[in-house]
Amino acid sequence: MLRLPPLRHEAPGTLDEAVALLAVDGAMLSAGGTDLVPNLKRRQYPDAATIVSLRRIPGMAGVRVESDGSLHIGSLTKLSSLAEHESIPLVVREAALSVASPQIRNQGTIGGNLCVDTRCNWLNVPQTWREAAEPCLKAGGETCWVAPAKKDCWAVSSSDLAPVLVALGAEVQLVGSGGRRSMPLEDFYRNDGMAHLTKGADEIITGVVVPPSSDMRASYRKLRRRGSIDFPILGVAVVASFDDDQVCTASRIVLGSVASSPLRVPEAEEVLVGRPFGSEVIAEASEAARKFARPLNNTDLTSRYRKRMIPVYVTRALGDLVEG
Ligand SMILES: Cc1cc2nc3c(=O)[nH]c(=O)nc-3n(C[C@H](O)[C@H](O)[C@H](O)COP(=O)(O)OP(=O)(O)OC[C@H]3O[C@@H](n4cnc5c(N)ncnc54)[C@H](O)[C@@H]3O)c2cc1C
Ligand code: SF4
């Protein structure tokens, strides 16, 4: 059995206290803990000293419909609540329902899901296995074992909600020692496996704002080995609007789990806009997505197979938007 290392546990009652605790070296924030705790048990964070839990802070969970039709989702809202909430767009509910298992969805939160650490076959193993080789870049060494010729970490963004909420144009609200701010979720990510979030270490997501989407059609398709419980090894989120003649007027296509951040595919989005929606443009957009993405051999199944699945999953997701 893997055990946690010795750690202090703090459960502040206010956001201000949490921000102050997070400013200290070695502090790590915990929401549901379903990603953090296994990573700690595998000794992926050797500098961790204190866990700062958000769970005693009131008012951090729940969904509110704003007067302009947008949704405010508190960052501690559980994935299971999200999946059941009638005001939440169906595509978000389905993506939430595809995460892990019922037990984990009852514990895991939307904020934690958006910040879930990047994953790699070399790193997400127990410490004793990792010690069979020199530490890789992300573990403090000098070489990335996935792409040794480069000086970057390519660990994989593995959140199901991130590509969907980027495609819907969501924003995150943050609080930290520098005050409060909001930013498009798209800008919250950086394609760097070691530092995939652009937020500061003491910044906490307080909420997620999803703009009105009732005039859009959307779909999320997820590739994984086991349908019952598995991280995505490819996620395809598509959102588009159409005029009365079924001509696409706007689109967003976002790939998850092919890089260290969710990736929008502008080449594929442009193919759709201004043209009647059907099998011809869907095939062109799917091919554009295939050319765009370069999955590596650091998660389940081979990179070659995952690359071949990109046009298949984009075709399926866009096919979900065809009316009738
Ligand atoms: C067996 C298993 C299967 C899984 N399958 C999937 C899957 O299919 N899809 C998927 O997307 N995930 C999966 N996960 C990962 C995880 O369970 C979910 O992503 C979950 O939603 C994480 O939420 P949490 O609240 O538990 O996060 P935590 O573990 O508490 O936190 C995760 C990270 O986010 C940070 N964080 C948490 N909340 C905030 C906040 N409000 N502001 C700033 N930073 C924050 C933490 O510091 C930590 O770095 C799986 C996990 C396990 C163990
Ligand atoms: S991609 Fe490379 S540096 Fe990053 S975790 Fe994997 S082996 Fe380590």
Side-chain angles (χ1 to χ4, degrees):
M1 179 201 268
L2 295 178
R3 293 184 188 283
L4 279 169
L7 295 159
R8 278 175 64 84
H9 187 268
E10 300 280 359
T14 67
L15 276 170
D16 285 348
E17 286 174 60
V19 168
L21 286 164
L22 285 171
V24 177
D25 281 351
M28 298 204 71
L29 189 156
S30 171
T34 61
D35 182 52
L36 184 74
V37 170
N39 291 349
L40 282 165
K41 286 185 171 181
R42 289 188 293 255
R43 304 299 192 266
Q44 285 174 223
Y45 309 126
D47 298 332
T50 306
I51 300 305
V52 180
S53 169
L54 297 181
R55 303 184 74 178
R56 277 195 51 232
I57 303 175
M60 295 277 286
V63 178
R64 202 170 63 225
V65 184
E66 306 287 19
S67 54
D68 64 354
S70 62
L71 295 172
H72 180 277
I73 307 170
S75 72
L76 283 195
T77 305
K78 300 273 173 65
L79 298 177
S80 50
S81 311
L82 209 57
E84 283 164 12
H85 204 288
E86 285 177 4
S87 307
I88 299 287
L90 188 60
V91 66
V92 179
R93 295 169 62 183
E94 287 175 349
L97 206 54
S98 79
V99 173
S101 63
Q103 293 87 344
I104 291 173
R105 293 194 293 272
N106 283 339
Q107 181 80 7
T109 65
I110 183 172
N113 190 270
L114 294 180
C115 298
V116 80
D117 201 357
T118 54
R119 297 176 64 79
C120 172
N121 284 346
W122 284 90
L123 195 73
N124 290 83
V125 290
Q127 186 180 21
T128 43
W129 291 22
R130 275 202 309 277
E131 283 170 358
E134 289 292 309
C136 71
L137 268 183
K138 192 171 176 181
E142 296 191 347
T143 308
C144 166
W145 297 119
V146 174
K150 313 233 174 180
K151 276 283 167 211
D152 300 300
C153 167
W154 305 84
V156 180
S157 165
S158 301
S159 160
D160 278 303
L161 289 179
V164 173
L165 289 167
V166 168
L168 285 169
E171 289 203 340
V172 275
Q173 298 177 325
L174 299 159
V175 64
S177 52
R180 289 183 180 267
R181 64 179 178 135
S182 300
M183 69 162 99
L185 183 62
E186 193 177 348
D187 299 341
F188 186 66
Y189 296 107
R190 183 192 286 133
N191 195 0
D192 174 347
M194 282 164 65
H196 72 298
L197 303 179
T198 57
K199 76 176 188 67
D202 68 353
E203 281 190 302
I204 300 170
I205 299 182
T206 54
V208 179
V209 177
V210 185
S213 59
S214 54
D215 59 340
M216 313 260 199
R217 292 180 218 155
S219 176
Y220 178 63
R221 290 282 186 149
K222 169 176 179 174
L223 173 65
R224 54 182 160 175
R225 188 185 286 263
R226 300 168 294 185
S228 55
I229 176 169
D230 257 330
F231 279 92
I233 48 177
L234 167 66
V236 177
V238 296
V239 175
S241 52
F242 300 89
D243 67 15
D244 293 342
D245 298 322
Q246 297 308 305
V247 172
C248 176
T249 51
S251 78
R252 280 189 173 212
I253 299 180
V254 184
L255 302 181
S257 309
V258 293
S260 301
S261 66
L263 292 184
R264 267 185 83 177
V265 192
E267 290 86 339
E269 294 174 356
E270 283 159 19
V271 164
L272 300 181
V273 177
R275 295 173 64 189
F277 193 62
S279 52
E280 191 182 330
V281 286
I282 289 177
E284 278 181 45
S286 302
E287 176 57 13
R290 188 194 66 78
K291 283 189 183 150
F292 181 82
R294 292 190 174 75
L296 292 176
N297 259 330
N298 56 352
T299 183
D300 196 12
L301 304 180
T302 64
S303 55
R304 219 166 142 208
Y305 176 76
R306 285 161 56 227
K307 173 111 179 157
R308 285 177 60 186
M309 286 300 107
I310 292 170
V312 175
Y313 274 64
V314 174
T315 299
R316 287 180 188 170
L318 288 173
D320 293 338
L321 309 192
V322 177
E323 249 194 353

